[in-house]
Amino acid sequence: MVILNDQTKLDCNMSLRPQTTFFVPAAVLPAYQADENWRTKNVIEYTGKPVVTAEATRIYGRTLGTISTKVMGAPVVGTPETECESMGIATLPVGTYPITVKLGTITTTGVELREGVLTITPAPLTITAKSYSRKVGEANPEFELTYKSFRNKETDTVFVVRPVIECDATIDSPAGEYEIRVSGAVASNYEISYVNGVLTVVDDPSGITTAKNDDIDAPVYDMTGRRVSKPQRGIYIKGNKKVVVRN
């Protein structure tokens, strides 16, 4: 529908079908766009010359997407056709690709057919750090990661920068839970998110605890029962409990 009044904005008739496109003069277009009643309508600038183009978006690794045609400038009679070979090629990298626009059943004269654009966006990829548990005094395990939603049968070889795994727990850390953090990965064609894991450090069920030699208070005894004033690395008795002393 064309509205040629370039002096004032018309009131919005709420009974108008929402799929209707309204072409209005450039002078009053801002007024229509600012009216919340008109915001639900498709209101564009009227130039007198019809231009037909198209656009589409799909995710890397997929072949499904909907091509939408767009009419600008002035209305047309009929329906345009589109072609896009790139839509069906899952291995194409992230970027933009042409969409061919044809007249189809359009009978309006003077129509400009403008090449459309297919935009391929990064695929979501989730990297998860596995959770682990160990005893106090043990070294951390070798942390591993899992990956969800690689496309095109790809693997972690796609990383330009591999993910980094960090955990604050050390061999001397007391019992508790420590976050296993993963970050820093870079891969073409993927938008990466992360799920951190947890390292649970538990006391040894045998009752043996660990401590640094500077943290041990007297009296401390070696395994033969002799009192030791400056315990070095090894196993000692303190308060009827075994203690592993680490330098």
Side-chain angles (χ1 to χ4, degrees), residues 28-142:
V28 291
L29 180 59
Y32 281 94
Q33 293 174 331
D35 189 324
E36 64 179 39
N37 292 324
W38 279 100
R39 287 177 188 170
T40 60
K41 314 297 181 183
N42 186 24
V43 181
I44 58 178
E45 180 183 353
Y46 176 73
T47 65
K49 179 178 177 58
V51 176
V52 180
T53 187
E55 59 186 12
T57 302
R58 73 163 173 83
I59 296 174
Y60 169 73
R62 293 184 176 175
T63 57
L64 298 177
T66 301
I67 299 177
S68 301
T69 57
K70 185 177 182 181
V71 179
M72 301 176 291
V76 298
V77 177
T79 304
E81 294 180 356
T82 59
E83 289 183 0
C84 183
E85 294 182 359
S86 300
M87 181 68 79
I89 305 175
T91 55
L92 286 177
V94 168
T96 56
Y97 299 87
I99 300 174
T100 301
V101 181
K102 300 180 179 180
L103 283 174
T105 62
I106 292 177
T107 57
T108 305
T109 59
V111 176
E112 177 187 344
L113 300 178
R114 189 173 296 174
E115 184 177 81
V117 176
L118 164 66
T119 301
I120 298 179
T121 60
L125 174 66
T126 303
I127 304 178
T128 300
K130 291 183 178 181
S131 292
Y132 296 85
S133 64
R134 67 165 174 83
K135 297 176 183 177
V136 169
E138 293 181 343
N140 288 343
E142 184 176 346

Side-chain angles (χ1 to χ4, degrees), residues 219-235:
V220 176
Y221 301 88
D222 64 17
M223 298 304 293
T224 65
R226 293 178 301 180
R227 184 166 179 167
V228 180
S229 59
K230 295 182 178 180
Q232 301 301 310
R233 186 181 182 91
I235 300 177

Side-chain angles (χ1 to χ4, degrees), residues 129 142-145 162-167 180-183:
E142 184 176 346
F143 300 128
E144 295 183 356
L145 303 172
R162 297 194 63 81
V164 176
I165 309 174
E166 298 177 304
C167 183
I180 303 171
R181 301 181 299 276
V182 55
S183 63

Side-chain angles (χ1 to χ4, degrees), residues 209-227:
T209 59
T210 62
K212 293 184 179 180
N213 53 5
D214 293 339
D215 298 331
I216 296 294
D217 297 326
V220 176
Y221 301 88
D222 64 17
M223 298 304 293
T224 65
R226 293 178 301 180
R227 184 166 179 167

